[in-house]
Amino acid sequence: MPILEISDLIIRHDVATGASLPVRRDEVIAALRAAGDRRGARIVAGLPHRDGVLEAAAVDRLLVRTHTELQRLNEELRIAEQLAELLGPLLAAVARGGERPRVLDVGCGIGYAVRWLAAAGVLGDVDLSGVDFNPALVAEATRLADVEGLACRFVRGDAFALPGSATVYISVGVLHHLRGDALGAFFRAQADAGAQAYCHFDIAATRLAPVGAWMFHRARMREPLGRHDGVVSARRAHTDHDLMTAARSAPGLVPLLHRPTHHSNPFCASVRPLLGVRPQEVSALRAALGPAARHLVTDSRPMRRPW
């Protein structure tokens, strides 16, 4: 049976226009029950609706609250800091003289990664942007950036249909949402858009990932939807083999997994990055990473676990 996340089911967008589409509550409940997820069905049954259609405004408020709680996960695992540690060398490897690099966060949510990078200023003079299909999340990301006085921007839409190409595409917690052919299409879109590189952080398919997700979400989150989807996300994580296979379908970008062999917190090993660069820049990336380059691999062997 499929493993479903509630957040993937309660929002729908027109692929061509990006406009929100109505979602019938009973259809979502039926899909969750068919997947054997009665708890998820109960959560959706409690959501506000009008004549059987989920109230879009209530769903938007719920997603903003859930993403705000999810920011704690990013802070706990120091994902933005790990992202910065790789982005610096990545940008150094692909930088072109006279061009201002552009880093674009795909599926940015409320923009935590981009806002952290803008606040830290560790990447120098870089155009930092985020894009998401959900207007409520983009609005909250923009509000927070304004309150924090940060030099970054957020837009609603398709990251690969925006004016101008990004130098580097990034994402945090997006890959596991993509199933089947959509995963390969995601990587091909970046190559087609002219990206010089990408750096995507997502959950690793380890035995501890669901356990760690359950413990964290029970301890740190209050929204039932967030608790539910947090554990399901870990269960839906792609294997290294599937990720590398999908990434290799993108012509012109060489995928590289970054696998540290140790970490102070073993649960942090459940989150790892997949990088990609143009073939001619692989050597430059390894040189820019220095000793950390030893963690780059081009195969899909099972990750060594520190426990």
Side-chain angles (χ1 to χ4, degrees), residues 103-285:
V103 175
L104 183 62
D105 187 0
V106 184
C108 65
I110 61 172
Y112 173 71
V114 168
R115 290 189 289 110
W116 190 96
L117 292 169
V122 293
L123 299 181
D125 185 21
V126 175
D127 179 349
L128 294 169
S129 306
V131 62
D132 201 289
F133 263 125
N134 190 291
L137 297 178
V138 169
E140 180 65 5
T142 301
R143 184 189 72 81
L144 291 170
D146 288 343
V147 169
E148 296 160 353
L150 300 175
C152 54
R153 60 192 177 92
F154 301 94
V155 296
R156 177 198 182 200
D158 182 348
F160 309 118
L162 298 177
S165 173
T167 310
V168 181
Y169 287 99
I170 66 173
S171 73
V172 176
V174 169
L175 297 181
H176 67 270
H177 287 283
L178 304 172
R179 317 309 296 178
D181 294 340
L183 185 61
F186 176 77
F187 291 106
R188 291 191 293 274
Q190 293 166 83
D192 293 344
Q196 294 302 304
Y198 58 72
C199 183
H200 300 297
F201 270 78
D202 205 62
I203 307 162
T206 68
R207 289 173 296 180
L208 272 184
V211 178
W214 182 86
M215 292 175 62
F216 176 86
H217 288 81
R218 290 295 299 178
R220 301 290 300 277
M221 300 185 71
R222 295 295 175 263
E223 287 293 340
L225 182 147
R227 286 181 168 185
H228 174 277
D229 279 9
V231 177
V232 171
S233 295
R235 294 175 61 203
R236 298 181 78 197
H238 296 293
T239 66
D240 289 351
H241 173 75
D242 288 344
L243 277 178
M244 293 294 279
T245 299
R248 288 191 184 106
S249 72
L253 288 169
V254 178
L256 301 158
L257 277 169
H258 191 261
R259 293 198 188 113
T261 55
H262 64 278
H263 204 290
S264 58
N265 181 349
F267 288 109
C268 292
S270 295
V271 181
R272 54 92 178 86
L274 176 68
L275 293 80
V277 291
R278 298 287 173 180
Q280 65 272 21
E281 288 152 351
V282 173
S283 296
L285 172 59

Side-chain angles (χ1 to χ4, degrees), residues 31-112:
L32 289 165
R33 285 177 175 168
D37 188 352
R38 295 191 176 275
R39 179 170 178 268
R42 288 195 298 271
I43 293 172
V44 173
L47 298 181
H49 67 99
R50 180 170 298 179
D51 297 327
V53 176
L54 292 175
E55 291 187 7
V59 169
D60 284 343
R61 290 193 296 271
L62 172 61
L63 291 176
V64 169
R65 292 197 304 272
T66 301
H67 277 77
T68 300
E69 287 191 332
L70 279 173
Q71 181 167 310
R72 298 174 187 167
L73 178 63
N74 286 306
E75 294 167 346
E76 186 86 5
L77 301 185
R78 299 173 59 196
I79 293 176
E81 294 172 64
Q82 295 182 62
L83 177 62
E85 290 173 0
L86 292 176
L87 268 180
L90 195 58
L91 286 169
V94 303
R96 295 177 176 176
E99 292 185 11
R100 186 183 185 216
R102 182 187 186 194
V103 175
L104 183 62
D105 187 0
V106 184
C108 65
I110 61 172
Y112 173 71

